[in-house]
Amino acid sequence: MNSSRLVPIYSSFLVAVLAASPALFAQEIVEVTGRDQRIDPDFDELYRIGAVEGEPWEMLGHVSHVAFDAQGNLYVFDRAGGMFSELRVLVFDATGAFVREFGRSGQGPGEFHMPMNYAVWRDGTTIVSDMGHAAYQIFDPSGGFVRMVRSSAEAPGGAGSGFMGASIRTSAPIQPDPRGGAVYAAWWGMSRSIGGTGADQPTTRPITRLDLDAEAVQVDTVVQGWLPPREVRNLFEGSSNVTLEGGSADLNQMLGGLARPSTFEPELLMGVLPDGGIVYSDSSAYALKIALPTGSVARVITRPFQPEPVTPRIEERYRELRGERSQNAISIPTGSSGAPPPEASLSQLPSFTLVDPPFYHEIPVLRSLSTTWEGRIWVMRQGDELIGDGPIDVMTAVGEYVGTYPSGATAMPDAFGPDGLAAFVELGEFDVSRVVVRRLPTEVR
């Protein structure tokens, strides 16, 4: 809900509460102080991975993801280059010593064909969501291929069904269930109306638990987050004709009814708690919703920070920071599979320019959210710059406020692990990727 409308609707909200079921009265509102209590990043560095020259496992390309298992082993998902380049999984022990590497490209079971997202269960089982296979690939703690779990054929947001819908579902980022056996996904991409007019656009976006124990994914919607209204418009400027096998097609017509997120639209932010509960944010306001494993929201944690209205000056400044529109040029796949093959030369593919999305009317207070293994919530607020890190609040799931790291004091960890482990993906000398592992103080774990 738009936070700027909260005050005028208090009376209406009260009427709705009185008319609601008794279960709603169990929802607790926790108001945290608006005065920041500064904490400093007193982190002990344990080791770092990544070097300009050295062994193959030392020279990283583009680190897409990092994760820990319960033994403190670090998993580094490293690509040679861009989004569809070859992927390898590097494993290091709790001291930073190299243990193993696994993963290769291909179209068979256990081979990566457009891998998109990754998760590691606490026992060391690795899950790779693979768009090319429209499935989730599972590897045991030693890196051996176990099985492939087919994705659901119906993509969220009405974005398609069949093989394409299953592929789209695997594009959603995933987080491991601490109890094992499943991953969580928050749908974040485009939405689609049934008639293509925008009048019947979805109004919610789900957080789902994907059970991976069977041959096909079993999808359980845990919560339905709010989806701001979106505008349906052409995705590409000018001509969008592309030649496919069997003829040509107009991409704007093929993708009619799709609505992209607007600039500054509040994201569906999500973190998983140790008991399988969810903390999420789905609006512009500072409102962290704590959902039980059953999906019912037990608590809402708020702070009195308000979203900033988007003015023409802010729009202009944002465009300056983003650079020229030519940076939005993308390559369109021409293969019969409907997806760019990993070995494709981008210079040989036709290019189209995306139409700039409209601006949302305000800038959300929150930028990102994560949870530690012990259940602390780390949430980054919007900083002074439109693009850049802001202060990071740390609190518990019951609403106890631990403190705030000021803007620039620390980046948000890219992965949390047991016993206060935290991994940060950084750029080192000559812009070489590296992973730095640090240990966090007890109070922020």
Side-chain angles (χ1 to χ4, degrees):
M1 180 180 292
N2 180 339
S3 63
S4 64
R5 298 175 57 200
L6 288 178
V7 173
I9 66 169
Y10 274 158
S11 58
S12 299
F13 177 73
L14 180 58
V15 171
V17 168
L18 294 175
S21 65
L24 189 58
F25 288 99
Q27 188 178 106
E28 178 187 11
I29 306 297
V30 180
E31 298 180 357
V32 176
T33 176
R35 178 176 297 179
D36 287 345
Q37 177 179 320
R38 179 189 176 106
I39 49 178
D40 294 317
D42 185 18
F43 308 154
D44 294 327
E45 183 173 320
L46 302 181
Y47 61 87
R48 55 182 59 200
I49 307 297
V52 177
E53 296 182 357
E55 298 294 330
W57 55 265
E58 293 181 286
M59 296 183 291
L60 303 178
H62 175 76
V63 178
S64 299
H65 187 76
V66 288
F68 291 98
D69 65 19
Q71 304 303 314
N73 297 314
L74 173 71
Y75 296 70
V76 178
F77 297 82
D78 181 52
R79 290 187 179 276
M83 178 180 294
F84 299 114
S85 62
E86 190 162 337
L87 171 75
R88 59 178 181 165
V89 185
L90 304 168
V91 184
F92 303 87
D93 68 17
T95 68
F98 175 69
V99 176
R100 72 179 67 89
E101 172 184 335
F102 65 93
R104 64 180 182 182
S105 296
Q107 298 191 25
E111 297 177 330
F112 300 140
H113 181 42
M114 295 178 63
M116 292 294 292
N117 295 289
Y118 324 95
V120 176
W121 286 331
R122 298 197 172 191
D123 67 356
T125 299
T126 298
I127 302 96
V128 177
S129 66
D130 195 308
M131 279 192 68
H133 290 293
Y136 296 86
Q137 303 211 55
I138 299 179
F139 301 84
D140 65 24
S142 65
F145 174 69
V146 177
R147 57 196 169 87
M148 190 179 295
V149 183
R150 298 191 309 274
S151 176
S152 169
E154 181 63 30
S161 60
F163 181 84
M164 181 59 71
S167 294
I168 291 174
R169 179 177 288 281
T170 58
S171 71
I174 55 177
Q175 296 186 34
D177 188 329
R179 302 164 297 180
V183 294
Y184 288 89
W187 182 244
W188 53 273
M190 297 185 185
S191 56
R192 186 169 195 161
S193 61
I194 298 174
T197 64
D200 52 358
Q201 282 284 329
T203 58
T204 61
R205 41 189 171 180
I207 295 176
T208 56
R209 184 179 185 270
L210 311 178
D211 191 316
L212 303 179
D213 283 338
E215 292 185 0
V217 174
Q218 304 299 308
V219 182
D220 178 33
T221 297
V222 182
V223 297
Q224 288 281 10
W226 175 66
L227 177 63
R230 291 177 175 177
E231 180 180 346
V232 175
R233 55 171 60 188
N234 285 341
L235 297 182
F236 305 101
E237 290 184 343
S239 174
S240 59
N241 289 321
V242 61
T243 301
L244 303 170
E245 280 189 12
S248 62
D250 187 315
L251 288 171
N252 277 330
Q253 291 184 1
M254 289 175 59
L255 301 174
L258 280 178
R260 295 165 62 196
S262 56
T263 300
F264 300 131
E265 175 184 294
E267 298 181 37
L268 180 56
L269 306 176
M270 177 195 71
V272 184
L273 298 169
D275 65 352
I278 298 291
V279 53
Y280 70 100
S281 169
D282 60 356
S283 70
S284 299
Y286 196 121
L288 301 175
K289 300 176 182 179
I290 311 297
L292 302 175
T294 58
S296 60
V297 176
R299 186 174 303 107
V300 180
I301 303 171
T302 68
R303 296 196 73 187
F305 299 117
Q306 300 302 317
E308 180 180 1
V310 173
T311 65
R313 174 59 189 142
I314 286 178
E315 294 181 8
E316 179 183 355
R317 176 58 179 158
Y318 179 81
R319 294 190 183 100
E320 292 173 355
L321 293 172
R322 290 284 297 179
E324 298 297 327
R325 288 174 57 144
S326 59
Q327 294 179 351
N328 286 334
I330 66 170
S331 296
I332 301 300
T334 57
S336 59
S337 67
E343 67 277 8
S345 170
L346 295 181
S347 62
Q348 297 174 350
L349 298 177
S351 292
F352 301 94
T353 300
L354 283 170
V355 175
D356 286 339
F359 282 89
Y360 196 65
H361 65 277
E362 58 189 10
I363 302 174
V365 176
L366 303 183
R367 287 179 58 90
S368 63
L369 184 157
S370 191
T371 49
T372 71
W373 277 41
E374 287 79 4
R376 294 289 192 269
I377 302 168
W378 288 44
V379 57
M380 180 179 288
R381 308 196 315 254
Q382 174 67 36
D384 294 333
E385 277 289 350
L386 296 178
I387 300 178
D389 294 347
I392 298 173
D393 298 337
V394 181
M395 60 188 65
T396 70
V398 297
E400 296 173 345
Y401 172 60
V402 177
T404 298
Y405 293 109
S407 296
T410 180
M412 180 77 83
D414 292 283
F416 291 98
D419 302 319
L421 293 178
F424 299 79
V425 179
E426 302 177 352
L427 288 180
E429 187 179 10
F430 304 113
D431 289 336
V432 172
S433 293
R434 67 184 182 190
V435 181
V436 182
V437 175
R438 302 182 173 98
R439 195 179 302 280
L440 308 177
T442 302
E443 61 271 16
V444 298
R445 295 179 183 178

